Amino acid sequence: MTWLIWRQHRMQVGVAFAILAALSILLWVTGLDMSHSLRGCKASPTCSGGDIMNKYRAVTTIVNITVAVPLLFGIFWGTSLMAREFETSTHVLAWTQSISRRQWLNRKLLALLAATVLCSAGLAAIVTWWWGQTSNSNRFDGARFQIEGVTPIAYSIFAVALAAAAGAILRRSLATLGVTIFGFAAMQVLMNSYLRSHLVHPLTALTPLGPDNDIPGAWIIGRELLINGRATKGIVQLPAQCAGTKSRPDMNGCLSESGYQFATKYLPSSRYWTLQYLESGIYLALAALLIATCVIVVRRRDA
Amino acid sequence: MTAWAKPAATEPAAGNQHLAVATSGLGKQYTRGLRARSKWALRDCTLEVPEGRICGLVGANGAGKTTLLRLLVGLARPSAGDVQVLGQRPSDSGQFLREVGYLAQDIPTFRRWSVTDHLRMGAALNPSWDAVATRERIQSLDIPLDQRVGTLSGGQRAQVALALALGKRPRLLLLDEPVAALDPLARRDFLSTLGAAVAEAEGHLTVILSSHLVADLERICDHLIVLANSRTMLAADLDDVIASHRVLTSTRRDVGPIDRQHTVLRVEQTQRQTRMWVRLEGPLTDPTWDSDELSLEEIVLSYLEYHPPADADRGPGITNVAHLGGVS
């Protein structure tokens, strides 16, 4: 059975690990180079870290694009796991050798999920390390939260499980592909735009207007304008005494003196891993449901 | 037995022999779509195939041949009735599967794999794999071992699939229209490979082979199953089938007396003549009928066109043709 799985999937797995190796070398080299430059930059008063990062814009783009990698696992590995077998009737060939359908299914799922974990964990590790060299970007920012830590591993397992379940039910590659892409994207959008901010109870801090309101390393979930400690509603009138201020810092200073401030809802950087594990847990639970569906469908349904 | 199926004159041929396959009231129902009415692909199938036989399975398209074979190998589960294969119920276990070889209608293979890859898969998945014999079988057919199976001819691909099914040394081999898509030469080669394998197995291999080509079946089979309208029409020893089916000819007369004793499959009445295709359920007592043998082709055809009387819906099909020693 091990031989069968290896023979069937060696190409995909080989290509994926080759790409991972190439990417690792690229990130390793640029990461070291970048960290060296940034360290040199800190010593010099005329140097700006932003200029250094501009040199690595292409690599940054490549790193951020890895946000799509979990979907690629779903498309290439997940679809070939079930849908392609059924589409080409090779499942009939496998199920009429001296091996039970149950065994065939368990080992196949186990092997491909293990490869998924291995490959995505490798990628997440090198990406996490690379971003760690930059130091001036927020770990909660944009795609970073989704390509670092353990979330990409959970996404990848979810994508493969989704494709496996869809393939077991639909039995056609193209339809499975569609469901995988749509389902994965829908789940990501739901998580990014709604779920993630509801996973953890945010803290609230009162922050002044202007550039000082940033909380270093924290994820700012939302801000509410307060006037003398009361929440504002609708259009906020500018106080008369601040009407004449010319510059933005002056305006902010005047407003702060007049009792204007922000109530900022945020997640401190210390809760980064809590959020990572919670989000991963949701994806893994969904993946477990999908795997169970796949197992039940394959075992109950006629060939 | 229902009213229309005449009782057999003697005991079934199987007797105390070991049975490779025994089904009773076997049925399979498919539901297509949510609102569509479910359809019986196979119904009330009761038959026996003794061990060591080469059994032909014939029937019109959609008669349930593929369904029956899939039920026997456990790829599908029955909706009704019981099925025993080599003394056990088909199950999802290696212990059952290693006894049964199966070749599906569309001959599934990994098209991009070489022949060697397929043989290696057979060796990896079957504990009783016969590596030497399988390799020899392929080589004797001049099939290049390192060629991709997808680029082989249809006949060669069928041979590879047959070698794969035989390589696990099954006790029962189920072949679903394996020669349907092959040219006459490839068909002959395929059947001769099959014949050789059966001869080598010395009675330890039972084969059930579905086909539309009755002439092929007549050459290699010694047992016959006829399915029509999702039911078993006939399941019997081939010699008995030939011996018990007759075409009776006479000047025009009433078919009633014959119909009461035997099973009339088809009647042709002209102004002066009556001709009927009959399965004899006992000796033919009326000597005024001209009795002629039927070819297997004609017998099969008359079953495929045969519509049993209306009350037949409830009962099993016609099975177990009697041994008829006294037919003249």
Side-chain angles (χ1 to χ4, degrees):
Chain A
M1 187 65 208
T2 316
W3 184 86
L4 176 70
I5 295 169
W6 169 242
R7 181 63 189 83
Q8 274 190 287
H9 299 287
R10 65 184 185 189
M11 194 60 147
Q12 305 156 358
V13 174
V15 167
F17 277 93
I19 292 175
L20 174 64
L23 207 60
S24 298
I25 292 169
L26 176 75
L27 295 192
W28 181 252
V29 170
T30 57
L32 285 180
D33 188 43
M34 181 169 67
S35 121
H36 180 76
S37 307
L38 284 170
R39 239 180 293 129
C41 182
K42 253 180 209 153
S44 141
T46 55
C47 173
S48 125
D51 290 342
I52 304 272
M53 283 310 287
N54 273 344
K55 263 174 54 190
Y56 297 96
R57 212 184 282 159
V59 185
T60 311
T61 308
I62 292 174
V63 170
N64 285 338
I65 280 176
T66 62
V67 76
V69 164
L71 185 57
L72 296 183
F73 282 121
I75 290 172
F76 288 104
W77 293 10
T79 306
S80 74
L81 196 54
M82 292 293 141
R84 205 181 58 190
E85 292 267 6
F86 288 112
E87 197 167 66
T88 54
S89 305
T90 46
H91 69 294
V92 170
L93 198 60
W95 295 1
T96 50
Q97 307 301 312
S98 309
I99 182 157
S100 72
R101 200 185 291 194
R102 182 164 35 83
Q103 240 177 331
W104 174 86
L105 180 66
N106 292 351
R107 299 217 189 149
K108 234 167 125 67
L109 285 173
L110 205 67
L112 273 240
L113 287 174
T116 305
V117 170
L118 217 63
C119 199
S120 61
L123 182 65
I126 189 78
V127 165
T128 307
W129 176 83
W130 191 88
W131 267 118
Q133 306 308 306
T134 63
S135 76
N136 66 342
S137 154
N138 190 320
R139 280 194 298 174
F140 287 108
D141 267 358
R144 267 193 79 178
F145 190 77
Q146 298 178 66
I147 56 178
E148 280 186 35
V150 291
T151 47
I153 307 172
Y155 300 156
S156 302
I157 293 173
F158 168 73
V160 171
L162 177 62
I169 294 166
L170 300 169
R171 296 189 163 193
R172 284 180 304 145
S173 293
L174 211 57
T176 302
L177 198 67
V179 169
T180 306
I181 293 173
F182 181 80
F184 184 80
M187 187 59 206
Q188 289 287 66
V189 168
L190 183 70
M191 180 56 83
N192 281 338
S193 61
Y194 179 77
L195 270 182
R196 187 177 298 136
S197 57
H198 288 75
L199 282 181
V200 280
H201 209 70
L203 304 180
T204 306
L206 295 175
T207 50
L209 273 65
D212 295 341
N213 72 26
D214 194 35
I215 303 164
W219 176 31
I220 308 298
I221 295 169
R223 284 199 179 92
E224 202 178 16
L225 185 64
L226 301 182
I227 303 174
N228 295 323
R230 273 199 304 277
T232 52
K233 266 184 200 146
I235 298 163
V236 178
Q237 287 291 324
L238 207 61
Q241 67 269 30
C242 297
T245 48
K246 297 271 183 327
S247 68
R248 207 179 175 92
D250 287 350
M251 165 78 86
N252 284 333
C254 176
L255 286 173
S256 295
E257 277 164 29
S258 316
Y260 282 58
Q261 58 186 165
F262 278 129
T264 303
K265 286 208 285 183
Y266 71 104
L267 199 67
S269 63
S270 61
R271 306 218 5 223
Y272 175 82
W273 286 104
T274 313
L275 189 62
Q276 278 265 331
Y277 289 133
L278 273 173
E279 180 162 334
S280 302
I282 289 179
Y283 273 90
L284 288 180
L286 286 174
L289 278 179
L290 289 165
I291 294 286
T293 309
C294 173
V295 168
I296 289 170
V297 169
V298 169
R299 287 181 60 179
R300 294 255 173 97
R301 203 157 141 192
D302 289 343
Chain B
M1 286 282 164
T2 50
W4 62 276
K6 307 287 165 54
T10 58
E11 282 303 297
N16 295 329
Q17 273 177 285
H18 289 293
L19 294 174
V21 171
T23 70
S24 76
L26 186 63
K28 180 69 189 176
Q29 199 174 22
Y30 286 109
T31 318
R32 291 209 180 80
L34 290 175
R35 265 180 289 174
R37 285 239 314 268
S38 52
K39 181 180 179 293
W40 286 94
L42 186 72
R43 206 167 183 182
D44 296 327
C45 173
T46 301
L47 56 85
E48 289 176 351
V49 179
E51 251 186 284
R53 295 300 181 101
I54 304 186
C55 176
L57 176 59
V58 287
N61 289 328
K65 302 188 294 292
T66 297
T67 303
L68 174 61
L69 294 177
R70 280 161 56 91
L71 287 169
L72 294 181
V73 73
L75 286 174
R77 291 181 186 81
S79 321
D82 190 43
V83 53
Q84 293 277 325
V85 172
L86 302 165
Q88 51 187 322
R89 195 170 288 187
S91 66
D92 181 31
S93 71
Q95 190 229 340
F96 169 76
L97 287 166
R98 78 173 59 169
E99 309 254 50
V100 185
Y102 176 73
L103 183 48
Q105 194 165 10
D106 50 354
I107 311 185
T109 48
F110 293 98
R111 300 186 68 87
R112 298 175 64 83
W113 290 20
S114 69
V115 177
T116 308
D117 283 336
H118 281 83
L119 300 187
R120 212 179 283 172
M121 178 191 77
L125 298 184
N126 298 287
S128 53
W129 185 252
D130 190 348
V132 179
T134 308
R135 192 165 280 264
E136 276 173 6
R137 196 168 284 139
I138 297 284
Q139 276 167 341
S140 71
L141 293 161
D142 288 328
I143 297 173
L145 284 168
D146 52 359
Q147 196 172 327
R148 280 184 178 176
V149 167
T151 63
L152 293 174
S153 71
Q156 288 176 320
R157 197 156 63 240
Q159 289 278 11
V160 170
L162 177 63
L164 198 57
L166 283 169
K168 64 151 89 161
R169 286 186 269 206
R171 285 167 62 201
L172 174 65
L173 181 62
L174 305 170
L175 308 171
D176 194 358
E177 292 192 33
V179 296
L182 303 188
D183 65 62
L185 213 59
R187 208 163 75 216
R188 186 199 64 192
D189 291 345
F190 184 94
L191 294 175
S192 80
T193 307
L194 179 62
V198 169
E200 275 169 40
E202 292 171 344
H204 295 294
L205 175 64
T206 310
V207 180
I208 300 181
L209 166 73
S210 82
S211 177
H212 289 303
L213 300 155
V214 178
D216 283 345
L217 295 180
E218 194 163 16
R219 205 159 53 234
I220 65 163
C221 294
D222 53 17
H223 208 84
L224 186 74
I225 298 171
V226 180
L227 293 181
N229 303 316
S230 314
R231 289 158 191 279
T232 327
M233 288 292 149
L234 191 70
D237 185 276
L238 200 61
D239 291 339
D240 294 341
V241 170
I242 299 284
S244 62
H245 290 78
R246 286 286 186 276
V247 57
L248 305 179
T249 319
S250 131
T251 49
R252 190 186 165 92
R253 67 165 101 166
D254 180 24
V255 299
I258 294 287
D259 193 27
R260 274 189 288 280
Q261 271 184 45
H262 308 286
T263 305
V264 177
L265 300 171
R266 186 173 151 210
V267 181
E268 253 181 34
Q269 294 266 29
T270 61
Q271 288 286 322
R272 274 184 261 161
Q273 200 187 42
T274 299
R275 241 169 110 78
M276 34 182 191
W277 283 254
V278 174
R279 192 181 76 208
L280 300 174
E281 311 289 357
L284 184 65
T285 45
D286 186 348
T288 58
W289 287 91
D290 268 344
S291 169
D292 290 305
E293 276 203 1
L294 281 164
S295 72
L296 192 61
E297 184 103 39
E298 288 173 298
I299 297 171
V300 167
L301 272 175
S302 59
Y303 274 106
L304 297 190
E305 290 173 339
Y306 175 58
H307 293 286
D311 65 339
D313 247 19
R314 292 186 303 270
I318 311 167
T319 57
N320 297 328
V321 172
H323 275 302
L324 295 168
V327 178
S328 51

